Each structure stands twice: as C-alpha cells, then as structure tokens.
Amino acid sequence: MTKTPPSVPADELTPGQVRRAGAWAVGNREGELFAVSRRCRHQLGDLSQGSIDADGCLVCPWHQARYDVGTGKMVEGPKGFLGYHGRTPRYAELVRGYSQVLRLRVAHALRRGAEIIVDRRD
C-alpha cells in the first residue's frame, strides 16, 4: 500500500505564496517550488504561515528568522523571543548557531496535474 504524499492545490500556490502540506511548508518563489519542514528551529513557529522575502528566503511569522529554502539553513536569527519582538543580537546568534546543526528538512515540491506534491527522496 503506497502512502499518498502531502499536497496543496496548485492554484493556491501562486508566486510569493506559502502553504501547509502535512508536515511541510510548500512555497512558490518566483515560479520555483520548494518544500521545507514546517517548524521554525527557534520556537517552532509554523513556517507555512510565513512569507518569502525579496531575497527568496522563507521568513518565520513569529520572530522573522530567515531560511534558505534550498539548504534549510537559517541565514538570519530571530528578532525576539516569546512575546518580545525586538533586538536580541547575542540570543539571535546563539539560535542561528544551533540551527546550523538542526537545519530544516528539504524535499522536492513537484507539480502533478492540479496538485503540488511533496516528494521526499531520502
């Protein structure tokens, strides 16, 4: 019995959009599809509710940590913690340091008909 891969309707994933597909955040970066694990390495914010910035990075909606969607690496640490939103330079560097080891998982996002599916090729 084959398991159905997580998916999102293709018409809901226009350029600049990010959507949830099971445990994955699936996005469309200027026509390039991506899939990364859904939980921010900072405080487990839901990255499927995030945004894509001008550099093509996925931005966490909670504290704006930024991720390279090709590698899963955090490229900029969070701007706050818990309910605080502001500068935390040392804390942000600490989080960014451990997130280099605990990267987001990266998978392939492929269009199949009217769906975008997440294809994990481990």
Side-chain angles (χ1 to χ4, degrees):
M1 182 172 169
T2 43
K3 189 175 177 183
T4 305
S7 67
V8 62
D11 62 353
E12 291 183 12
L13 204 61
T14 57
Q17 298 293 308
V18 183
R19 295 287 182 262
R20 177 183 177 176
W24 300 91
V26 179
N28 184 333
R29 181 175 65 176
E30 305 273 334
E32 177 187 345
L33 301 173
F34 67 84
V36 295
S37 50
R38 231 178 75 219
R39 295 294 171 189
C40 180
R41 296 305 186 231
H42 173 225
Q43 288 184 315
L44 306 178
D46 188 347
L47 295 173
S48 71
Q49 296 176 2
S51 59
I52 301 169
D53 69 11
D55 296 324
C57 291
L58 179 59
V59 181
C60 178
W62 286 7
H63 297 105
Q64 292 70 54
R66 298 173 59 237
Y67 292 91
D68 178 318
V69 297
T71 65
K73 289 176 77 172
M74 183 184 286
V75 295
E76 185 177 0
K79 293 177 174 65
F81 60 93
L82 298 175
Y84 171 72
H85 295 269
R87 290 183 40 86
T88 56
R90 288 186 181 146
Y91 177 70
E93 287 305 309
L94 172 71
V95 172
R96 192 167 150 234
Y98 77 70
S99 73
Q100 300 307 302
V101 176
L102 299 171
R103 294 180 186 182
L104 298 177
R105 292 176 297 146
V106 177
H108 298 280
L110 307 168
R111 184 172 185 142
R112 291 222 178 119
E115 298 287 316
I116 305 294
I117 64 154
V118 177
D119 182 23
R120 287 192 63 199
R121 295 182 188 162
D122 297 324

